[in-house]
Amino acid sequence: MLSTAAIVVSALLAATNLGAAVMFWFLFHARAGRSEAQSQPNTFSAKQRSQTSNTDDIASADKNASKISFSQANLSTAYPQVRGAFEPSVVVVLCLRGNDPFLRKTIEGLSQQVYGDYRILAVIDHHTDPAWQVVQSAKSELGLSDCQLEIQELQNKSEICGLKCSALIQAIDSLRSTDDYREVIVTIDADAVPGPHWLQRLVAPLCDPMIGATTSNQWFQPTGLNFGSWVRSVWHAGAIVPTAILANPWAGTFAMRQKDIIDSGLIDAWGRSIIDDGPVRECLARLKKGIRFIPENLIINREDCSLGFCFSYVTRMLTWSRLFESTFWITFTHMVTIVSMHAVILSWAVIALAFNTSWCLGLGQGLLSWPAAWCSFLILFGAQWLGYYIVKTTVIGQTVQAHTDEQAVSILGGRPGAPGRNLTPNNFMVTLIEALIVFAAVPFALAAYGFGATMAIFNDKVKWRKIHYQVRGSDNVQMLDYQPFARQETSAGQHQHHSL
């Protein structure tokens, strides 16, 4: 009886998990198709240029393009590429504290956007910060002017909000104090390496006045055998499903009209918030505007982390969820159900295998045999494993579709000329090892989920970017200590996020 019940319950939970992953696949492709349809351009291709008889129009277009394009490289590719009819003026704000390992590539990617009138504004925590030299060096090497990439030091480090919120307030205040008005404010994290059409796709839906903001998310793509990175990737594969479905804002890839930022009271909310994307939905609700999720703009994050950092990361993410999302208690209920059921089944399976006999915790013999226990275990944990690969395949497939082959290889951490999708013996072994690592990471991801959600309820102190905050509510924040970010040598696989 108990054996049958365990298998049935395991199957129901497995079906629920797989159903969510499949729903993610369907919604992801549906939204991707809708985004593509809504951003169809008034294309002015090279072929059209050759067929156009009005040479004055062509000369005028070339003249305007030379004024607004970021580099000569963009000039040579702008016409054949997809260009949107809606291209408002944009400032991309990059808030920095510490030297992120992919910061140089982030700036390079931003400088190569197929877009018209945009500029980059980097607000760095301190002039001694290691990010300062990286940005200055990238600016010089890429040949960017002050108009294309402006660097500011964060002046007012408010003690009642997060550093990134202080940086965004400074960035918008500096724009409002000059004649260089920007219609759209875009934010990006230092660990996000954008493709050439990232900005265009992000801004295009804002042509609809009822859309107040656009956003996307990230996918953690481990590049080695660092177990903490795989655990975080497995946990995030589950977390990204409701994030995409509900279009929860993520400041790592985010766009909003400057007018809406001001009219919604978001600047005032930032002045009291620990994070910048937390109060966005509530503020936009005052304007009765929604948020659009852009599947094509998912960022592939290839930074590694330790298992300890993974647990602290999950705890911090779920703390933000408790503070700003009304659905947190659904998340907590889901955690209790999933984690407890997996723990019970895993315990049954291990003990049953150890004794190699039937057992039922003293309730009698034969109620749960070890084959039934391990069948339940494989159903539950196998569903988590399969769900991970459904989500991963969806994300990677979207990345490949949204970029050229060369861009996709670079973004996904490969290299030109690397083995493709053919099943070679080498690829087979790599895939097999990865599959085993993912399966082993599932119980650790569940443990991180349970630990993080439980700690999030009681957690009122957060360590973020080496700064301690006391957080008693979504608008009750106190910075407990501050010091400039010190350069720290870390071993491979220990890089962490250092955007503000």
Side-chain angles (χ1 to χ4, degrees):
M1 184 66 179
L2 187 57
S3 298
T4 303
I7 293 175
V8 170
V9 172
S10 299
L12 289 175
L13 287 176
T16 301
N17 290 335
L18 290 178
V22 172
M23 182 185 298
F24 173 82
W25 185 90
F26 277 112
L27 289 179
F28 211 81
H29 284 76
R31 289 190 178 183
R34 182 174 63 182
S35 297
E36 182 178 354
Q38 290 182 342
S39 61
Q40 286 301 312
N42 292 332
T43 308
F44 191 46
S45 66
K47 181 178 180 180
Q48 288 172 319
R49 286 166 56 82
S50 65
Q51 294 175 345
T52 303
S53 59
N54 191 337
T55 56
D56 291 337
D57 289 344
I58 296 177
S60 176
D62 286 339
K63 182 178 180 180
N64 291 333
S66 66
K67 289 181 178 179
I68 62 179
S69 291
F70 231 74
S71 65
Q72 292 298 322
N74 277 351
L75 281 175
S76 64
T77 60
Y79 289 114
Q81 297 288 347
V82 175
R83 297 299 301 274
F86 177 74
E87 285 194 357
S89 58
V90 170
V91 59
V92 181
V93 182
L94 183 60
C95 305
L96 299 172
R97 174 178 165 86
N99 177 20
D100 190 280
F102 290 97
L103 176 57
R104 173 63 171 76
K105 288 186 174 293
T106 297
I107 297 173
E108 183 178 353
L110 287 176
S111 71
Q112 297 173 351
Q113 293 299 299
V114 181
Y115 198 86
D117 188 7
Y118 79 104
R119 57 186 292 247
I120 307 167
L121 173 56
V123 182
I124 304 177
D125 177 55
H126 196 269
H127 67 274
T128 62
D129 194 289
W132 190 281
Q133 181 59 39
V134 175
V135 177
Q136 288 280 20
S137 176
K139 180 178 179 180
S140 176
E141 292 172 5
L142 295 171
L144 304 179
S145 66
D146 291 339
C147 294
Q148 294 169 326
L149 173 55
E150 179 184 354
I151 304 174
Q152 294 182 4
E153 180 180 358
L154 179 59
Q155 300 297 323
N156 179 24
K157 301 172 178 65
S158 173
E159 295 183 352
I160 59 172
C161 68
L163 277 177
K164 188 174 183 182
C165 292
S166 294
L168 286 172
I169 293 172
Q170 175 176 310
I172 294 178
D173 285 346
S174 69
L175 291 171
R176 296 171 70 182
S177 65
T178 65
D179 295 331
D180 187 19
Y181 179 80
R182 295 284 155 168
E183 297 176 64
V184 174
I185 307 296
V186 170
T187 62
I188 185 172
D189 281 350
D191 52 13
V193 181
H197 296 282
W198 170 84
L199 185 57
Q200 183 188 88
R201 294 189 184 104
L202 190 64
V203 173
L206 292 178
C207 64
D208 183 347
M210 297 311 298
I211 296 177
T214 59
T215 190
S216 193
N217 210 274
Q218 60 185 335
W219 171 260
F220 291 105
Q221 178 70 19
T223 57
L225 297 179
N226 193 300
F227 193 62
S229 303
W230 287 100
V231 173
R232 181 174 62 174
S233 181
V234 171
W235 174 81
H236 192 261
I240 197 176
V241 173
T243 296
I245 293 174
L246 299 175
N248 289 334
W250 177 59
T253 290
F254 180 81
M256 191 170 174
R257 300 177 193 86
Q258 184 175 174
K259 183 178 186 302
D260 288 343
I261 291 176
I262 297 169
D263 293 346
S264 67
L266 184 55
I267 293 180
D268 292 334
W270 281 338
R272 304 183 302 274
S273 176
I274 181 68
I275 55 174
D276 50 335
D277 45 21
V280 167
R281 189 178 295 277
E282 181 180 354
C283 289
L284 280 177
R286 300 170 187 166
L287 304 180
K288 298 181 179 180
K289 294 186 176 184
I291 302 172
R292 173 65 54 81
F293 185 85
I294 313 297
E296 301 93 331
N297 270 17
L298 267 171
I299 297 297
I300 305 299
N301 188 321
R302 294 185 281 123
E303 291 186 5
D304 287 327
C305 72
S306 66
L307 187 59
F309 178 79
C310 169
F311 272 67
S312 65
Y313 172 83
V314 172
T315 300
R316 191 169 68 246
M317 294 302 102
L318 292 174
T319 300
W320 302 158
S321 176
R322 176 181 66 82
L323 291 172
F324 294 100
E325 296 174 4
S326 60
T327 57
F328 172 75
W329 294 107
I330 299 177
T331 301
F332 187 81
T333 302
H334 175 266
M335 180 279 295
V336 172
T337 303
I338 294 296
V339 173
S340 60
M341 189 61 191
H342 281 77
V344 169
I345 293 296
L346 179 59
S347 299
W348 277 347
V350 171
I351 296 176
L353 182 63
F355 286 97
N356 195 25
T357 184
S358 301
W359 73 285
C360 61
L361 296 178
L363 298 178
Q365 293 295 324
L367 295 182
L368 183 64
S369 63
W370 73 265
W374 275 90
C375 181
S376 301
F377 168 80
L378 292 175
I379 289 174
L380 266 183
F381 285 82
Q384 294 285 349
W385 177 86
L386 183 58
Y388 172 84
Y389 277 102
I390 291 175
V391 175
K392 177 180 178 178
T393 301
T394 303
V395 172
I396 300 303
Q398 185 60 62
T399 301
V400 172
Q401 290 180 6
H403 300 85
T404 65
D405 290 343
E406 184 178 353
Q407 292 164 358
V409 167
S410 176
I411 290 172
L412 294 174
R415 63 186 187 278
R421 296 182 178 85
N422 296 328
L423 188 62
T424 65
N426 181 56
N427 284 347
F428 175 78
M429 288 304 300
V430 170
T431 302
L432 179 60
I433 292 172
E434 176 186 314
L436 293 175
I437 293 175
V438 170
F439 195 85
V442 168
F444 288 89
L446 290 169
Y449 187 21
F451 176 83
T454 303
M455 291 297 295
I457 295 179
F458 307 102
N459 200 17
D460 66 347
K461 287 186 175 64
V462 178
K463 182 180 180 181
W464 193 21
R465 314 302 186 240
K466 298 186 177 181
I467 296 177
H468 293 86
Y469 297 90
Q470 186 165 50
V471 186
R472 294 194 174 96
S474 59
D475 58 353
N476 188 349
V477 180
Q478 183 67 43
M479 185 190 299
L480 300 180
D481 54 18
Y482 170 81
Q483 58 182 357
F485 192 93
R487 183 183 298 275
Q488 179 179 354
E489 297 297 331
T490 56
S491 60
Q494 298 299 316
H495 292 304
Q496 300 177 0
H497 304 282
H498 297 309
S499 297
L500 286 179

